[in-house]
């Protein structure tokens, strides 16, 4: 072989070797690149994570729970012009290509050569099918390898799914800003509408967003947003999907959106919705945030609003009574002071409140509103209120509210807090729940999370235990001084609120007048172990020491638990399981949770004229229905003649009990009508004193009354139903209910023995006369149950 031939052979071998090495390298790279290639067939049954939507009892949307805010909309429910807007913007030949648009891809790849040299991000050229592959199956890395995977997967997707399925995935998966994934969520978040109600211009705007929601923000970059929207409208007209006249008309529309993403228009139920979320997570686990469930709750929106208004008003009334605490900030009035004023937000529930600065503080006080620059004077009564407190000075930052008569009212966020919860006593449906003055300022739910002493609001459980253990409404118990020794040798002498003792009293008087000494004697006669057992069975406490101080409410509970226990007095002695979630269904309408576990034979077959199905009432029997009615009657007496006579303004059958704890730390009122049982708690979060004389009668009962005036306005004025087997007798002018055989003889009615009356005296009945000695509570609990 001559030299030239030798060099040709060497060159040939070299070229072939290089090709082989390059081929091997490409094969290795391809194997590495595609070893983790996802399977396009996984999308056949794929549904993106969607929000669980919570509804009130009447169908009002009150909240959503999700990792990604998304409402899945089937393709058949997507308006054609909305789909066409996205096709015009992103891929107008979608229904013609096979997953990859070769022309668009070549054009994009040419640009990407320059982009790669300049260090810029690679451009798309991606079809909608490619975008689905990227969004659902791949990462968002802008690399050549990912683009190759995207193209291959797009072809596989076209072989696996039809065009409508691919477009459905795209329109439900895509990120559109404003906390919105998919067109369903975006329609609500941007425009507060269902997609079926969108105008042509609104459809075109949503189609502008895949290119970058921040680039076309409807408020910050409105001009660019309208420009992109109008370009899409022009494309739709060119493609013949809308007429030129329709497109031009839509182009003239202004772009108006909600200031912030908000789908639940009802905003009074934040505490309730958050509690639903917590309980939903406990029941459904992580599925709650991605399963797209339909959740019907027990909330009554009208009652919820009434509860929020009543609690906020009651806490503000208490706060005003305790004086002006001073400005919440101070500035030097010069350009830029408004920025500092806007840093502190008032309660979002008080939408009319505005941050303002005091500009004059002489005889009259003038202010300037930070947000609007509006000026005016504070009304005279508020100026006097402020001057009686810490006063006002120029530069003080305050909250104001426009007055109907002109000028401004001075407002102050209460330092005190509280809770209100209302339930349906037969089913345990929670109709309303407000866990504090303002959810925006504190999301801590005092209805379910605040453990506090209930004071005298616990006493009905003591009296119910007594009636279950031989006492009757005709029983006489001494209201007189009593001193007991505990295991530590210390003396304990419970006192009455008014420091007086009334001697021998009928049983109901001890409850109506909230007599502490009498209640302790009664508890001693019944035995604290029995009282403890009933309190635990009713769910008031998990555990409780069987000591006599507990009879006066020294144990801790929540408004939610105590209110549920009172439901048993109204419903005939049955324990209810209070619940906020009534039913949960999945996307196919299958029920996966139902609060009511009872079976209803023949309920699904429809009415055929036969006798209607009979369904047993819910809940275990805690005590005799007659006992429940006896306590209900006594608690009606609390309203008619006792410590809560102000509640009688409701003008309907109503019962309830006040409660005030040691050193006036907490104020309670738990009350009921035949249809609603509601509990109110007022107290500071740090458990300090509310102040001398701040009792359940003064602080909590007015809140209950205001709530009930609204909640019951459309309800019939029904009487509490007595058990059919109850026997009645007049005792001291009051019609009392008795168990058969325990009713007093005619000669005994109203009889009091001569001389000292034993604490357990009962005409015509033999009751226990001894009780185990109890250990008193700690010193700070000695005066629990004041009133």
């Amino acid at each position: 072989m001559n030299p030239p031939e030798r060099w040709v052979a060497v060159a040939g071998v070299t070229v072939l070797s290089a090709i082989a090495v390059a081929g091997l390298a490409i094969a290795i790279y391809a194997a590495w690149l595609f070893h983790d290639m996802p399977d396009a067939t996984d999308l056949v049954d794929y549904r993106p994570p969607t929000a669980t939507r919570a509804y009130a009892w009447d169908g009002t949307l009150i909240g959503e729970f999700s990792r990604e805010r998304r409402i899945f909309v089937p393709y058949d429910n997507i308006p054609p012009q909305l789909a066409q807007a996205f096709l015009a913007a992103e891929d107008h030949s979608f229904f013609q290509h096979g997953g990859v648009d070769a022309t668009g891809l070549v054009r994009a790849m040419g640009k990407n050569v320059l982009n790669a040299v300049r260090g810029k991000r690679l451009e798309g050229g991606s079809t909608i099918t490619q975008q689905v592959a990227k969004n659902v199956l791949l990462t968002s890395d802008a690399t050549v390898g990912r683009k190759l995977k995207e193209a291959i997967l797009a072809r596989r997707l076209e072989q696996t799914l039809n065009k409508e399925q691919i477009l459905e995935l795209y329109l439900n998966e895509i990120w559109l800003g404003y906390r919105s994934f998919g067109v369903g969520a975006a329609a609500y978040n941007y425009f507060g509408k269902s997609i079926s109600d969108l105008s042509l211009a609104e459809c075109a705007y949503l189609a502008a967003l895949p290119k970058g929601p921040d680039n076309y923000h409807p408020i910050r970059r409105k001009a660019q947003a309208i420009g992109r929207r109008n370009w899409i409208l022009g494309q739709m007209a060119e493609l013949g999907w809308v007429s030129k006249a329709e497109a031009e008309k839509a182009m003239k529309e202004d772009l108006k959106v909600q200031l912030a993403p908000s789908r639940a228009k009802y905003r009074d139920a934040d505490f309730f919705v958050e509690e639903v979320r917590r309980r939903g997570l406990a029941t459904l686990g992580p599925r709650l945030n991605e399963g797209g469930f339909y959740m019907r709750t027990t909330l009554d929106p009208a009652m919820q609003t009434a509860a929020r208004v009543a609690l906020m008003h009651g806490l503000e009334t208490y706060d005003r009574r305790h004086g002006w605490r001073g400005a919440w900030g101070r500035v030097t009035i010069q350009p830029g002071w408004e920025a500092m004023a806007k840093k502190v937000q008032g309660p979002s529930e008080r939408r009319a409140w505005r941050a303002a600065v005091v500009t004059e503080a002489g005889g009259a006080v003038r202010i300037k509103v930070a947000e609007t620059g509006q000026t005016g004077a504070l009304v005279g009564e508020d100026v006097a209120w402020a001057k009686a407190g810490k006063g006002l000075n120029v530069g003080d930052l305050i909250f104001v509210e426009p007055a109907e008569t002109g000028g401004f009212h001075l407002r102050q966020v209460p330092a005190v807090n509280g809770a209100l919860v209302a339930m349906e006593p037969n089913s345990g449906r929670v109709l309303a729940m407000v866990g504090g003055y303002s959810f925006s300022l504190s999301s801590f739910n005092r209805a379910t999370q605040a453990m506090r002493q209930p004071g005298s609001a616990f006493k009905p459980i003591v009296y119910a235990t007594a009636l279950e253990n031989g006492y009757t409404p005709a029983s006489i118990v001494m209201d007189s001084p009593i001193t007991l020794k505990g295991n530590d040798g210390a003396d304990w002498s419970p006192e009455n609120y008014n420091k007086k003792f009334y001697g021998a009293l009928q049983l109901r008087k001890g409850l109506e007048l909230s007599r502490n000494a009498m209640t302790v004697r009664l508890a001693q006669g019944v035995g604290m172990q029995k009282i403890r057992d009933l309190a635990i069975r009713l769910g008031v406490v998990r555990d409780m020491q069987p000591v006599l101080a507990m009879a006066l409410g020294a144990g801790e509970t929540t408004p939610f638990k105590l209110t549920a226990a009172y439901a048993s007095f109204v419903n005939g002695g049955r324990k209810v399981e209070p619940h906020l979630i009534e039913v949960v269904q999945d996307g196919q309408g299958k029920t996966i949770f139902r609060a009511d576990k009872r079976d209803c034979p023949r309920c699904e077959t429809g009415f055929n004229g036969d006798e209607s199905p009979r369904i047993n009432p819910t809940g275990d029997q805690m005590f005799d229905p007659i006992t429940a009615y006896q306590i209900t009657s006594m608690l009606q007496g609390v309203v008619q003649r006792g410590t809560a006579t102000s509640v009688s303004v409701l003008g309907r059958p109503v019962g309830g009990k006040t409660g005030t704890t040691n050193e006036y730390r907490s104020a309670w009122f738990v009350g009921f009508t035949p249809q609603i049982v509601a509990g109110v708690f007022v107290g500071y979060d740090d458990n300090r004193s509310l102040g001398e004389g701040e009792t359940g009668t003064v602080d909590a009962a007015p809140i209950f009354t205001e709530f009930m005036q609204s909640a019951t306005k459309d309800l019939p004025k029904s009487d509490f139903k007595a058990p059919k087997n109850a026997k009645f007798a007049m005792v001291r002018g009051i019609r009392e209910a008795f168990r058969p055989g325990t009713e007093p003889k005619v000669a005994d009615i109203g009889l009091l023995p001569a001389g000292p009356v034993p604490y357990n005296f009962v005409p015509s009945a033999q009751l226990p006369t001894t009780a185990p000695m109890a250990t008193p509570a700690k010193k700070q609990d000695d005066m629990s149950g004041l009133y």
Side-chain angles (χ1 to χ4, degrees), residues 599-634:
D599 291 327
C600 180
R602 296 188 289 117
C603 282
E604 302 297 330
T605 60
F607 180 70
N608 59 6
D610 295 340
E611 182 182 10
S612 60
R614 295 183 179 274
I615 307 175
N616 293 326
T618 59
D620 296 331
Q621 200 71 38
M622 294 291 99
F623 39 79
D624 193 287
I626 294 178
T627 297
Y629 183 78
Q630 289 168 332
I631 294 295
T632 295
S633 176
M634 292 179 184

Side-chain angles (χ1 to χ4, degrees), residues 475-490:
S475 298
I476 302 298
V477 178
M478 284 299 296
D479 177 36
S480 60
I482 180 173
T483 299
L484 302 168
K485 282 191 178 293
N487 293 338
D488 59 0

Side-chain angles (χ1 to χ4, degrees), residues 269-532:
D270 289 332
F271 284 106
F272 185 96
V273 171
E274 177 59 18
E275 187 66 21
V276 166
R277 187 191 68 82
R278 281 196 290 263
R279 292 171 183 250
L281 282 173
T283 302
L284 302 172
R287 293 186 299 163
L288 175 73
N289 293 321
E290 57 190 39
F293 298 126
Y294 161 84
M295 180 182 288
R296 189 176 78 223
T297 72
T298 59
L299 185 82
D300 183 309
M303 290 191 192
Q304 177 67 24
T305 297
R308 181 190 65 78
V309 170
L311 183 66
M312 293 188 79
H313 180 237
L315 296 177
E316 287 169 356
T317 299
Y318 167 91
D319 186 70
R320 188 175 181 90
R321 192 163 62 240
H322 286 263
W324 170 248
R325 297 191 304 277
W328 50 261
R330 186 169 178 78
V331 295
T332 301
I333 304 177
Q334 58 186 13
W337 70 268
E338 295 90 347
M340 181 175 178
K342 292 176 182 178
K343 289 181 180 179
V344 176
Q345 297 295 320
S348 63
E349 296 84 353
R350 290 298 191 222
R351 297 175 180 88
W353 286 22
R354 296 290 182 269
V357 67
V358 176
T359 57
E360 297 179 26
V365 175
R366 296 191 62 81
I367 60 92
K368 184 175 183 179
V369 177
E371 184 176 347
T372 64
Q374 185 180 3
T375 61
L378 295 182
V379 298
E381 62 178 333
D382 288 353
V383 173
W385 175 56
K387 288 184 176 180
K390 292 195 173 182
L392 289 168
N393 299 290
V394 173
D396 281 350
L397 293 175
I398 58 176
F399 289 119
V400 298
E401 181 178 17
E404 293 181 1
T405 57
F408 292 88
H409 286 295
L410 176 63
R411 297 305 187 205
Q412 176 173 259
V413 176
V416 72
N417 232 301
L420 191 159
V421 60
M423 303 176 186
E424 199 283 315
N426 291 295
S427 64
R429 289 176 49 222
V430 179
L431 305 171
M433 175 189 290
V434 187
Y437 175 75
S438 169
F439 186 87
S440 64
L441 299 180
S442 169
S443 61
F444 179 70
N445 191 333
R446 294 150 192 88
T448 59
Q449 296 174 303
M451 297 294 294
R452 292 300 182 88
Q453 296 177 2
S456 291
F458 182 81
K459 288 177 181 174
I461 296 171
V462 176
Y463 284 74
T465 308
L467 291 168
E468 284 286 287
N469 287 276
Y471 288 80
T472 77
S475 298
I476 302 298
V477 178
M478 284 299 296
D479 177 36
S480 60
I482 180 173
T483 299
L484 302 168
K485 282 191 178 293
N487 293 338
D488 59 0
D491 290 343
W492 180 54
S493 300
E495 298 179 358
N496 292 321
Y497 177 74
N498 61 3
K499 312 297 184 182
K500 297 180 181 179
F501 297 92
Y502 296 148
L505 293 178
Q506 182 187 335
L507 199 65
R508 75 158 47 239
K509 283 298 179 184
L511 198 51
E512 288 182 358
L513 302 177
S514 201
R515 309 307 291 168
N516 288 340
M518 179 177 170
T519 301
V520 169
R521 289 182 182 275
L522 181 64
Q524 190 181 43
V526 174
M528 276 305 301
Q529 188 64 43
K530 294 178 180 178
I531 295 169
R532 168 190 177 273

Side-chain angles (χ1 to χ4, degrees), residues 22 24 29 88 98 120 150 156 164 180 272 306 341 351 461 520 552 580 592 617 626 692 705 722:
L24 179 61
Y29 174 73
K120 293 185 178 180
E150 181 183 294
R156 293 180 182 177
E164 289 77 10
S180 307
F272 185 96
R351 297 175 180 88
I461 296 171
V520 169
L552 302 182
L580 291 77
I592 60 174
I626 294 178
E692 185 72 24
T705 302

Side-chain angles (χ1 to χ4, degrees), residues 199-331:
S199 69
L200 175 60
E202 290 166 343
C203 289
Y205 173 69
L206 294 185
L209 296 170
K211 288 297 184 186
D214 288 339
N215 297 333
Y216 304 107
H217 193 279
I219 299 173
R220 295 194 299 268
R221 308 196 71 181
K222 186 173 180 178
Q224 293 90 332
I226 291 176
R228 174 71 177 173
R229 179 200 70 180
N230 291 351
W231 178 83
I232 292 171
L233 289 168
Q235 291 292 300
M236 294 178 73
E238 283 188 20
L239 292 164
W241 292 339
V242 298
S243 69
K244 186 175 181 180
E246 289 174 326
E248 290 177 349
K249 181 181 178 182
M251 289 179 187
K252 294 176 182 178
E253 285 187 24
D254 191 12
L255 177 57
K256 295 182 179 180
V257 299
Q258 300 182 124
L259 294 179
S262 176
R263 297 212 287 278
K265 300 298 183 183
Y266 182 72
R267 304 301 300 167
D268 282 345
D270 289 332
F271 284 106
F272 185 96
V273 171
E274 177 59 18
E275 187 66 21
V276 166
R277 187 191 68 82
R278 281 196 290 263
R279 292 171 183 250
L281 282 173
T283 302
L284 302 172
R287 293 186 299 163
L288 175 73
N289 293 321
E290 57 190 39
F293 298 126
Y294 161 84
M295 180 182 288
R296 189 176 78 223
T297 72
T298 59
L299 185 82
D300 183 309
M303 290 191 192
Q304 177 67 24
T305 297
R308 181 190 65 78
V309 170
L311 183 66
M312 293 188 79
H313 180 237
L315 296 177
E316 287 169 356
T317 299
Y318 167 91
D319 186 70
R320 188 175 181 90
R321 192 163 62 240
H322 286 263
W324 170 248
R325 297 191 304 277
W328 50 261
R330 186 169 178 78
V331 295

Side-chain angles (χ1 to χ4, degrees), residues 84-236:
Q84 290 165 351
F86 276 86
L87 294 175
E90 296 294 313
D91 186 1
H92 61 80
S93 61
F94 171 73
F95 281 97
Q96 284 76 48
H97 63 64
V100 178
D101 182 357
T103 303
L105 185 61
V106 170
R107 184 170 57 251
M109 292 301 290
K111 290 183 179 179
N112 283 337
V113 172
L114 295 176
N115 288 341
V117 172
R118 296 171 182 172
K120 293 185 178 180
R121 182 179 176 85
L122 301 183
E123 290 188 11
S126 297
T127 64
I128 281 178
T129 310
Q130 288 175 267
Q131 291 184 55
V132 170
K134 177 188 71 175
N135 293 339
V136 180
L137 297 174
L138 299 173
T139 68
S140 297
D141 297 336
T143 63
V144 173
R146 199 268 294 161
K147 295 295 290 184
L148 288 172
K149 285 185 177 181
E150 181 183 294
I152 294 171
L153 275 176
R155 297 302 298 268
R156 293 180 182 177
L157 274 177
E158 294 276 347
Q159 297 167 0
T160 304
L161 304 175
N162 61 40
K163 288 287 188 179
E164 289 77 10
Q165 290 173 313
I166 295 171
L167 189 55
E168 177 186 88
L169 279 174
Y170 173 76
L171 293 175
N172 281 287
E173 182 72 30
I174 191 166
W175 165 245
L176 296 173
Y178 240 44
R179 296 191 295 178
S180 307
F181 286 86
V183 293
Y188 275 107
N189 283 349
Y190 281 99
F191 302 111
K193 296 179 178 180
S194 166
I195 59 171
S196 60
D197 297 325
L198 293 174
S199 69
L200 175 60
E202 290 166 343
C203 289
Y205 173 69
L206 294 185
L209 296 170
K211 288 297 184 186
D214 288 339
N215 297 333
Y216 304 107
H217 193 279
I219 299 173
R220 295 194 299 268
R221 308 196 71 181
K222 186 173 180 178
Q224 293 90 332
I226 291 176
R228 174 71 177 173
R229 179 200 70 180
N230 291 351
W231 178 83
I232 292 171
L233 289 168
Q235 291 292 300
M236 294 178 73

